[in-house]
Amino acid sequence: MAFVYPPAQGPVLKVDACEQVFPVHRIYCIGRNYAAHAREMGHDPDREPPFFFQKAADDLTMSGIMHYPAETVDVHFEIEMVAALIEGGTRITPGDALAKVFGYGVGLDMTRRDLQGAAKKLGRPWDTGKSFADAAPCSGLVPISSCGHPQHGSITLDVNGERRQSGDLSQMIWSVAEQISELSRFFVLKPGDLIFTGTPAGVGPVQRGDQMVGEVEGVGRLEVEVV
Ligand code: MN
C-alpha cells in the first residue's frame, strides 16, 4: 500500500555504550511528584493522588538545542529522571512494574508556564503549556544492567553555571514502580513509552542564550542551550 506522503520515522533515543537506539512510543509525565515542588506551585503534597499528562513523542530533542517556543514569555525548566519501558501492559502491580523498565535517562519537562497557568485558571487542558516543539530535551538512555533502578541520588539543574534545582530521587512522592502501576490503570502501556518522573523544587524561567546542565546521579547528564 502506498503512503499519501512519506511517513516520518519516529523519535529514537541513543543507548549508552551501544550501537542500538530506543524507539519512543509515548511520553507520560507525572505532576507534582516532589513535595517541595508541589508546595512551590501552591499545592498540598499530602492530599493529592498522582496525576499525569502527556507530551507528544516528537516534542523530544536530543540535539542539545531547545528553540524558544512561540506565544510565551515564561518558559520554565523542570529537570526529571526519565524511565523508559521495554514492555507494556495494563493493571501492572507495583511489584511487577520495574521488570518493564529498559533503562533511565535525564530529561527536561520544558513548560510554557504562562500558558499552563492560564489554562489552570480556566479549567482547560495543559497541552499548550506542556507540549510543543523541543518541549522534551532528553539524554541517551542507560540500561538497567548499568545503572540498576536508582531510588536515591542527587538530581540537579544548573543554568549558566548557577545551581537552580536540587533534590534527591528519594524525595519522590510516588516511586517509579507506583507510577507505572498507576499509569497502567488508565492507559495500555507499550514498549517505547517514556515516563518523566517529576521535578524537585526550584523551577524557573530561561531565556535565549541560556545554558542548562542537568544531572541525575548514577544516570547521566544533559546539556541544553536555549536558542
Ligand atoms: Mn514536570
Side-chain angles (χ1 to χ4, degrees), residues 29-33 37 53 55 77-80 108-111 113 126 130 196-199 203:
C29 306
I30 190 169
R32 299 173 202 140
N33 197 33
H37 172 62
F53 56 90
K55 289 174 182 274
F77 47 78
E78 297 188 0
I79 189 69
E80 314 208 356
L108 279 161
D109 168 15
M110 298 304 298
T111 302
R113 194 72 76 201
W126 287 11
K130 287 294 193 179
F196 279 58
T197 60
T199 197
V203 300

Side-chain angles (χ1 to χ4, degrees), residues 23-62:
V24 173
H25 177 243
R26 286 187 176 184
I27 303 175
Y28 296 100
C29 306
I30 190 169
R32 299 173 202 140
N33 197 33
Y34 288 74
H37 172 62
R39 281 187 210 101
E40 78 181 346
M41 299 304 287
H43 296 271
D44 179 350
D46 299 326
R47 284 188 297 138
E48 293 187 326
F51 70 95
F52 299 89
F53 56 90
Q54 292 182 44
K55 289 174 182 274
D58 68 356
D59 294 340
L60 280 171
T61 176
M62 281 71 72

Side-chain angles (χ1 to χ4, degrees), residues 124-145:
R124 289 180 181 167
W126 287 11
D127 302 47
T128 54
K130 287 294 193 179
S131 188
F132 49 87
D134 295 348
C138 196
S139 71
L141 298 175
V142 182
I144 57 162
S145 55

